[in-house]
Each structure stands twice: as C-alpha cells, then as structure tokens.
mmCIF file of all heavy atoms in Angstrom:
data_model
loop_
_atom_site.group_PDB
_atom_site.id
_atom_site.type_symbol
_atom_site.label_atom_id
_atom_site.label_comp_id
_atom_site.label_asym_id
_atom_site.label_seq_id
_atom_site.Cartn_x
_atom_site.Cartn_y
_atom_site.Cartn_z
ATOM 1 N N LEU Y 1 11.158 -8.780 0.191
ATOM 2 C CA LEU Y 1 10.196 -8.014 0.963
ATOM 3 C C LEU Y 1 8.791 -8.259 0.427
ATOM 4 O O LEU Y 1 8.579 -8.240 -0.792
ATOM 5 C CB LEU Y 1 10.516 -6.517 0.884
ATOM 6 C CG LEU Y 1 11.969 -6.103 1.178
ATOM 7 C CD1 LEU Y 1 12.133 -4.602 1.008
ATOM 8 C CD2 LEU Y 1 12.381 -6.544 2.573
ATOM 9 N N ALA Y 2 7.841 -8.477 1.321
ATOM 10 C CA ALA Y 2 6.447 -8.675 0.942
ATOM 11 C C ALA Y 2 5.615 -7.619 1.660
ATOM 12 O O ALA Y 2 5.495 -7.649 2.891
ATOM 13 C CB ALA Y 2 5.980 -10.083 1.304
ATOM 14 N N VAL Y 3 5.053 -6.702 0.895
ATOM 15 C CA VAL Y 3 4.357 -5.545 1.459
ATOM 16 C C VAL Y 3 2.883 -5.596 1.067
ATOM 17 O O VAL Y 3 2.548 -5.609 -0.117
ATOM 18 C CB VAL Y 3 4.977 -4.230 0.961
ATOM 19 C CG1 VAL Y 3 4.333 -3.045 1.669
ATOM 20 C CG2 VAL Y 3 6.485 -4.233 1.177
ATOM 21 N N ILE Y 4 2.010 -5.630 2.072
ATOM 22 C CA ILE Y 4 0.566 -5.614 1.829
ATOM 23 C C ILE Y 4 0.088 -4.169 1.948
ATOM 24 O O ILE Y 4 0.231 -3.544 2.999
ATOM 25 C CB ILE Y 4 -0.186 -6.509 2.832
ATOM 26 C CG1 ILE Y 4 0.368 -7.942 2.783
ATOM 27 C CG2 ILE Y 4 -1.677 -6.502 2.527
ATOM 28 C CD1 ILE Y 4 -0.228 -8.852 3.846
ATOM 29 N N ASP Y 5 -0.455 -3.640 0.868
ATOM 30 C CA ASP Y 5 -0.876 -2.237 0.837
ATOM 31 C C ASP Y 5 -2.399 -2.155 0.823
ATOM 32 O O ASP Y 5 -3.017 -2.070 -0.232
ATOM 33 C CB ASP Y 5 -0.279 -1.536 -0.393
ATOM 34 C CG ASP Y 5 -0.595 -0.053 -0.406
ATOM 35 O OD1 ASP Y 5 -1.024 0.468 0.635
ATOM 36 O OD2 ASP Y 5 -0.413 0.586 -1.461
ATOM 37 N N TRP Y 6 -2.982 -2.223 2.008
ATOM 38 C CA TRP Y 6 -4.426 -2.088 2.189
ATOM 39 C C TRP Y 6 -4.680 -0.818 2.986
ATOM 40 O O TRP Y 6 -4.351 -0.743 4.169
ATOM 41 C CB TRP Y 6 -4.984 -3.278 2.957
ATOM 42 C CG TRP Y 6 -4.987 -4.576 2.195
ATOM 43 C CD1 TRP Y 6 -4.626 -4.771 0.899
ATOM 44 C CD2 TRP Y 6 -5.386 -5.852 2.700
ATOM 45 N NE1 TRP Y 6 -4.766 -6.094 0.553
ATOM 46 C CE2 TRP Y 6 -5.240 -6.789 1.642
ATOM 47 C CE3 TRP Y 6 -5.854 -6.311 3.922
ATOM 48 C CZ2 TRP Y 6 -5.543 -8.142 1.793
ATOM 49 C CZ3 TRP Y 6 -6.152 -7.652 4.076
ATOM 50 C CH2 TRP Y 6 -5.999 -8.560 3.009
ATOM 51 N N GLU Y 7 -5.277 0.183 2.373
ATOM 52 C CA GLU Y 7 -5.392 1.494 3.016
ATOM 53 C C GLU Y 7 -6.821 1.977 3.218
ATOM 54 O O GLU Y 7 -7.024 3.085 3.722
ATOM 55 C CB GLU Y 7 -4.617 2.532 2.194
ATOM 56 C CG GLU Y 7 -3.160 2.216 1.976
ATOM 57 C CD GLU Y 7 -2.443 3.272 1.137
ATOM 58 O OE1 GLU Y 7 -2.663 4.475 1.396
ATOM 59 O OE2 GLU Y 7 -1.677 2.887 0.226
ATOM 60 N N GLU Y 8 -7.827 1.162 2.857
ATOM 61 C CA GLU Y 8 -9.203 1.670 2.897
ATOM 62 C C GLU Y 8 -9.727 1.816 4.321
ATOM 63 O O GLU Y 8 -10.505 2.717 4.620
ATOM 64 C CB GLU Y 8 -10.119 0.768 2.070
ATOM 65 C CG GLU Y 8 -9.769 0.724 0.587
ATOM 66 C CD GLU Y 8 -9.670 2.113 -0.011
ATOM 67 O OE1 GLU Y 8 -10.557 2.951 0.250
ATOM 68 O OE2 GLU Y 8 -8.691 2.384 -0.753
ATOM 69 N N TRP Y 9 -9.357 0.898 5.211
ATOM 70 C CA TRP Y 9 -9.753 1.022 6.617
ATOM 71 C C TRP Y 9 -8.581 0.662 7.517
ATOM 72 O O TRP Y 9 -7.606 0.063 7.078
ATOM 73 C CB TRP Y 9 -10.966 0.138 6.956
ATOM 74 C CG TRP Y 9 -10.918 -1.281 6.448
ATOM 75 C CD1 TRP Y 9 -11.517 -1.765 5.320
ATOM 76 C CD2 TRP Y 9 -10.235 -2.405 7.049
ATOM 77 N NE1 TRP Y 9 -11.256 -3.116 5.167
ATOM 78 C CE2 TRP Y 9 -10.472 -3.533 6.218
ATOM 79 C CE3 TRP Y 9 -9.466 -2.579 8.187
ATOM 80 C CZ2 TRP Y 9 -9.962 -4.802 6.501
ATOM 81 C CZ3 TRP Y 9 -8.951 -3.847 8.481
ATOM 82 C CH2 TRP Y 9 -9.212 -4.932 7.637
ATOM 83 N N ARG Y 10 -8.682 1.094 8.772
ATOM 84 C CA ARG Y 10 -7.641 0.804 9.749
ATOM 85 C C ARG Y 10 -8.210 -0.139 10.802
ATOM 86 O O ARG Y 10 -9.391 -0.051 11.147
ATOM 87 C CB ARG Y 10 -7.140 2.103 10.387
ATOM 88 C CG ARG Y 10 -6.613 3.107 9.358
ATOM 89 C CD ARG Y 10 -6.022 4.347 10.023
ATOM 90 N NE ARG Y 10 -5.573 5.320 9.028
ATOM 91 C CZ ARG Y 10 -6.204 6.438 8.740
ATOM 92 N NH1 ARG Y 10 -7.334 6.752 9.376
ATOM 93 N NH2 ARG Y 10 -5.735 7.263 7.828
ATOM 94 N N PRO Y 11 -7.396 -1.040 11.344
ATOM 95 C CA PRO Y 11 -7.914 -2.082 12.235
ATOM 96 C C PRO Y 11 -8.407 -1.576 13.591
ATOM 97 O O PRO Y 11 -9.144 -2.288 14.274
ATOM 98 C CB PRO Y 11 -6.728 -3.031 12.401
ATOM 99 C CG PRO Y 11 -5.519 -2.190 12.127
ATOM 100 C CD PRO Y 11 -5.961 -1.224 11.071
ATOM 101 N N LEU Y 12 -8.009 -0.370 13.993
ATOM 102 C CA LEU Y 12 -8.533 0.213 15.226
ATOM 103 C C LEU Y 12 -9.721 1.113 14.888
ATOM 104 O O LEU Y 12 -9.628 1.999 14.045
ATOM 105 C CB LEU Y 12 -7.456 1.019 15.947
ATOM 106 C CG LEU Y 12 -6.322 0.215 16.614
ATOM 107 C CD1 LEU Y 12 -5.367 1.151 17.331
ATOM 108 C CD2 LEU Y 12 -6.868 -0.822 17.583
ATOM 109 N N TRP Y 13 -10.818 0.897 15.570
ATOM 110 C CA TRP Y 13 -12.074 1.613 15.323
ATOM 111 C C TRP Y 13 -11.879 3.129 15.335
ATOM 112 O O TRP Y 13 -12.337 3.831 14.436
ATOM 113 C CB TRP Y 13 -13.072 1.190 16.392
ATOM 114 C CG TRP Y 13 -14.408 1.853 16.372
ATOM 115 C CD1 TRP Y 13 -14.782 2.994 17.036
ATOM 116 C CD2 TRP Y 13 -15.573 1.410 15.666
ATOM 117 N NE1 TRP Y 13 -16.094 3.293 16.797
ATOM 118 C CE2 TRP Y 13 -16.613 2.318 15.962
ATOM 119 C CE3 TRP Y 13 -15.851 0.338 14.835
ATOM 120 C CZ2 TRP Y 13 -17.886 2.199 15.450
ATOM 121 C CZ3 TRP Y 13 -17.135 0.192 14.320
ATOM 122 C CH2 TRP Y 13 -18.134 1.121 14.616
ATOM 123 N N ASP Y 14 -11.203 3.627 16.349
ATOM 124 C CA ASP Y 14 -11.074 5.074 16.534
ATOM 125 C C ASP Y 14 -10.196 5.738 15.478
ATOM 126 O O ASP Y 14 -10.174 6.978 15.394
ATOM 127 C CB ASP Y 14 -10.517 5.382 17.928
ATOM 128 C CG ASP Y 14 -11.480 4.997 19.034
ATOM 129 O OD1 ASP Y 14 -12.690 4.916 18.744
ATOM 130 O OD2 ASP Y 14 -11.036 4.770 20.174
ATOM 131 N N ARG Y 15 -9.472 4.972 14.704
ATOM 132 C CA ARG Y 15 -8.611 5.561 13.676
ATOM 133 C C ARG Y 15 -9.305 5.662 12.320
ATOM 134 O O ARG Y 15 -8.695 6.074 11.341
ATOM 135 C CB ARG Y 15 -7.315 4.764 13.537
ATOM 136 C CG ARG Y 15 -6.352 4.994 14.695
ATOM 137 C CD ARG Y 15 -5.030 4.322 14.500
ATOM 138 N NE ARG Y 15 -4.069 4.687 15.551
ATOM 139 C CZ ARG Y 15 -2.843 4.196 15.669
ATOM 140 N NH1 ARG Y 15 -2.418 3.293 14.789
ATOM 141 N NH2 ARG Y 15 -2.056 4.581 16.645
ATOM 142 N N ASN Y 16 -10.559 5.293 12.279
ATOM 143 C CA ASN Y 16 -11.312 5.403 11.023
ATOM 144 C C ASN Y 16 -12.104 6.711 11.014
ATOM 145 O O ASN Y 16 -13.308 6.754 11.216
ATOM 146 C CB ASN Y 16 -12.233 4.193 10.847
ATOM 147 C CG ASN Y 16 -11.465 2.933 10.523
ATOM 148 O OD1 ASN Y 16 -10.934 2.774 9.438
ATOM 149 N ND2 ASN Y 16 -11.371 2.047 11.508
ATOM 150 N N TRP Y 17 -11.355 7.807 10.784
ATOM 151 C CA TRP Y 17 -11.971 9.125 10.725
ATOM 152 C C TRP Y 17 -12.107 9.552 9.264
ATOM 153 O O TRP Y 17 -11.703 8.845 8.343
ATOM 154 C CB TRP Y 17 -11.128 10.133 11.508
ATOM 155 C CG TRP Y 17 -9.687 10.189 11.097
ATOM 156 C CD1 TRP Y 17 -9.175 10.687 9.938
ATOM 157 C CD2 TRP Y 17 -8.564 9.703 11.842
ATOM 158 N NE1 TRP Y 17 -7.816 10.556 9.918
ATOM 159 C CE2 TRP Y 17 -7.410 9.957 11.076
ATOM 160 C CE3 TRP Y 17 -8.421 9.100 13.096
ATOM 161 C CZ2 TRP Y 17 -6.129 9.619 11.502
ATOM 162 C CZ3 TRP Y 17 -7.152 8.769 13.512
ATOM 163 C CH2 TRP Y 17 -6.015 9.020 12.739
ATOM 164 N N GLY Y 18 -12.699 10.727 9.070
ATOM 165 C CA GLY Y 18 -12.852 11.257 7.718
ATOM 166 C C GLY Y 18 -13.686 10.341 6.842
ATOM 167 O O GLY Y 18 -14.722 9.829 7.266
ATOM 168 N N ARG Y 19 -13.226 10.117 5.630
ATOM 169 C CA ARG Y 19 -13.990 9.271 4.700
ATOM 170 C C ARG Y 19 -13.999 7.808 5.130
ATOM 171 O O ARG Y 19 -14.806 7.019 4.624
ATOM 172 C CB ARG Y 19 -13.431 9.402 3.281
ATOM 173 C CG ARG Y 19 -12.060 8.795 3.059
ATOM 174 C CD ARG Y 19 -11.654 8.883 1.590
ATOM 175 N NE ARG Y 19 -10.355 8.267 1.327
ATOM 176 C CZ ARG Y 19 -10.194 6.961 1.092
ATOM 177 N NH1 ARG Y 19 -11.229 6.147 1.107
ATOM 178 N NH2 ARG Y 19 -8.989 6.477 0.843
ATOM 179 N N LYS Y 20 -13.111 7.437 6.050
ATOM 180 C CA LYS Y 20 -13.096 6.068 6.548
ATOM 181 C C LYS Y 20 -14.192 5.808 7.590
ATOM 182 O O LYS Y 20 -14.389 4.671 8.010
ATOM 183 C CB LYS Y 20 -11.718 5.729 7.149
ATOM 184 C CG LYS Y 20 -10.604 5.631 6.120
ATOM 185 C CD LYS Y 20 -9.282 5.327 6.775
ATOM 186 C CE LYS Y 20 -8.197 5.011 5.749
ATOM 187 N NZ LYS Y 20 -8.023 6.038 4.715
ATOM 188 N N ARG Y 21 -14.894 6.845 8.008
ATOM 189 C CA ARG Y 21 -15.959 6.675 8.996
ATOM 190 C C ARG Y 21 -17.100 5.811 8.453
ATOM 191 O O ARG Y 21 -17.914 5.294 9.219
ATOM 192 C CB ARG Y 21 -16.492 8.045 9.428
ATOM 193 C CG ARG Y 21 -17.172 8.013 10.795
ATOM 194 C CD ARG Y 21 -17.549 9.427 11.244
ATOM 195 N NE ARG Y 21 -16.390 10.256 11.431
ATOM 196 C CZ ARG Y 21 -15.638 10.253 12.535
ATOM 197 N NH1 ARG Y 21 -15.934 9.419 13.517
ATOM 198 N NH2 ARG Y 21 -14.608 11.058 12.639
ATOM 199 N N VAL Y 22 -17.132 5.637 7.132
ATOM 200 C CA VAL Y 22 -18.159 4.784 6.539
ATOM 201 C C VAL Y 22 -18.083 3.358 7.093
ATOM 202 O O VAL Y 22 -19.107 2.674 7.207
ATOM 203 C CB VAL Y 22 -18.032 4.777 4.991
ATOM 204 C CG1 VAL Y 22 -16.706 4.156 4.548
ATOM 205 C CG2 VAL Y 22 -19.186 4.027 4.343
ATOM 206 N N TYR Y 23 -16.887 2.923 7.495
ATOM 207 C CA TYR Y 23 -16.745 1.572 8.031
ATOM 208 C C TYR Y 23 -17.349 1.465 9.428
ATOM 209 O O TYR Y 23 -17.829 0.398 9.828
ATOM 210 C CB TYR Y 23 -15.270 1.169 8.033
ATOM 211 C CG TYR Y 23 -14.738 1.049 6.627
ATOM 212 C CD1 TYR Y 23 -14.038 2.100 6.035
ATOM 213 C CD2 TYR Y 23 -14.990 -0.085 5.866
ATOM 214 C CE1 TYR Y 23 -13.583 2.011 4.719
ATOM 215 C CE2 TYR Y 23 -14.545 -0.187 4.558
ATOM 216 C CZ TYR Y 23 -13.842 0.868 3.987
ATOM 217 O OH TYR Y 23 -13.414 0.769 2.690
ATOM 218 N N GLN Y 24 -17.365 2.562 10.163
ATOM 219 C CA GLN Y 24 -18.059 2.572 11.444
ATOM 220 C C GLN Y 24 -19.570 2.531 11.208
ATOM 221 O O GLN Y 24 -20.297 1.768 11.873
ATOM 222 C CB GLN Y 24 -17.677 3.820 12.240
ATOM 223 C CG GLN Y 24 -16.217 3.877 12.653
ATOM 224 C CD GLN Y 24 -15.889 5.128 13.456
ATOM 225 O OE1 GLN Y 24 -16.719 6.036 13.570
ATOM 226 N NE2 GLN Y 24 -14.685 5.194 13.993
ATOM 227 N N THR Y 25 -20.039 3.322 10.264
ATOM 228 C CA THR Y 25 -21.466 3.367 9.965
ATOM 229 C C THR Y 25 -21.985 2.012 9.512
ATOM 230 O O THR Y 25 -23.024 1.526 9.995
ATOM 231 C CB THR Y 25 -21.746 4.417 8.876
ATOM 232 O OG1 THR Y 25 -21.272 5.696 9.314
ATOM 233 C CG2 THR Y 25 -23.226 4.506 8.568
ATOM 234 N N LEU Y 26 -21.263 1.371 8.587
ATOM 235 C CA LEU Y 26 -21.681 0.056 8.099
ATOM 236 C C LEU Y 26 -21.606 -0.990 9.199
ATOM 237 O O LEU Y 26 -22.441 -1.909 9.262
ATOM 238 C CB LEU Y 26 -20.803 -0.363 6.923
ATOM 239 C CG LEU Y 26 -20.987 0.428 5.618
ATOM 240 C CD1 LEU Y 26 -19.948 0.000 4.581
ATOM 241 C CD2 LEU Y 26 -22.395 0.212 5.067
ATOM 242 N N SER Y 27 -20.634 -0.875 10.075
ATOM 243 C CA SER Y 27 -20.497 -1.842 11.166
ATOM 244 C C SER Y 27 -21.634 -1.701 12.169
ATOM 245 O O SER Y 27 -22.143 -2.702 12.700
ATOM 246 C CB SER Y 27 -19.154 -1.641 11.874
ATOM 247 O OG SER Y 27 -18.078 -1.962 11.029
ATOM 248 N N VAL Y 28 -22.047 -0.470 12.447
ATOM 249 C CA VAL Y 28 -23.179 -0.249 13.350
ATOM 250 C C VAL Y 28 -24.450 -0.843 12.744
ATOM 251 O O VAL Y 28 -25.234 -1.507 13.431
ATOM 252 C CB VAL Y 28 -23.345 1.254 13.639
ATOM 253 C CG1 VAL Y 28 -24.682 1.520 14.352
ATOM 254 C CG2 VAL Y 28 -22.189 1.757 14.493
ATOM 255 N N SER Y 29 -24.664 -0.618 11.453
ATOM 256 C CA SER Y 29 -25.847 -1.182 10.777
ATOM 257 C C SER Y 29 -25.821 -2.696 10.827
ATOM 258 O O SER Y 29 -26.855 -3.348 11.044
ATOM 259 C CB SER Y 29 -25.901 -0.695 9.329
ATOM 260 O OG SER Y 29 -26.032 0.712 9.266
ATOM 261 N N HIS Y 30 -24.642 -3.271 10.617
ATOM 262 C CA HIS Y 30 -24.493 -4.729 10.659
ATOM 263 C C HIS Y 30 -24.829 -5.272 12.040
ATOM 264 O O HIS Y 30 -25.558 -6.284 12.165
ATOM 265 C CB HIS Y 30 -23.063 -5.101 10.279
ATOM 266 C CG HIS Y 30 -22.774 -6.563 10.337
ATOM 267 N ND1 HIS Y 30 -23.341 -7.484 9.477
ATOM 268 C CD2 HIS Y 30 -21.961 -7.283 11.176
ATOM 269 C CE1 HIS Y 30 -22.898 -8.700 9.765
ATOM 270 N NE2 HIS Y 30 -22.063 -8.600 10.794
ATOM 271 N N ALA Y 31 -24.330 -4.628 13.083
ATOM 272 C CA ALA Y 31 -24.605 -5.080 14.461
ATOM 273 C C ALA Y 31 -26.087 -4.902 14.796
ATOM 274 O O ALA Y 31 -26.680 -5.743 15.492
ATOM 275 C CB ALA Y 31 -23.731 -4.312 15.442
ATOM 276 N N GLN Y 32 -26.698 -3.814 14.317
ATOM 277 C CA GLN Y 32 -28.112 -3.563 14.581
ATOM 278 C C GLN Y 32 -28.993 -4.622 13.940
ATOM 279 O O GLN Y 32 -29.983 -5.086 14.540
ATOM 280 C CB GLN Y 32 -28.494 -2.180 14.047
ATOM 281 C CG GLN Y 32 -29.925 -1.745 14.392
ATOM 282 C CD GLN Y 32 -30.056 -1.332 15.842
ATOM 283 O OE1 GLN Y 32 -29.455 -0.352 16.263
ATOM 284 N NE2 GLN Y 32 -30.824 -2.075 16.632
#
C-alpha cells in the first residue's frame, strides 16, 4: 500500500474552509 498523506489543502476550492481558506486568499492575490 502506498498512501500519500497531504492534508494542508483540498483540491476543490469550496472545500478549503476554516484555516485552509488561506489558500483561497493566496490564490486570489496570485491571480490579481
């Protein structure tokens, strides 16, 4: 079994709530 444990962000935008909302904020700044 090969298990990748990456939990800091989720690949769907709308699922990045709570402390993960920072990835939305940084992404908006990047696009701007």
Side-chain angles (χ1 to χ4, degrees):
L1 310 178
V3 186
I4 304 174
D5 185 14
W6 290 356
E7 303 179 44
E8 297 307 315
W9 46 262
R10 303 184 182 105
L12 289 182
W13 177 269
D14 293 337
R15 286 186 173 177
N16 288 289
W17 54 71
R19 69 176 182 85
K20 291 179 171 54
R21 203 174 296 278
V22 64
Y23 294 97
Q24 295 180 351
T25 302
L26 291 174
S27 294
V28 169
S29 298
H30 178 67
Q32 186 75 65

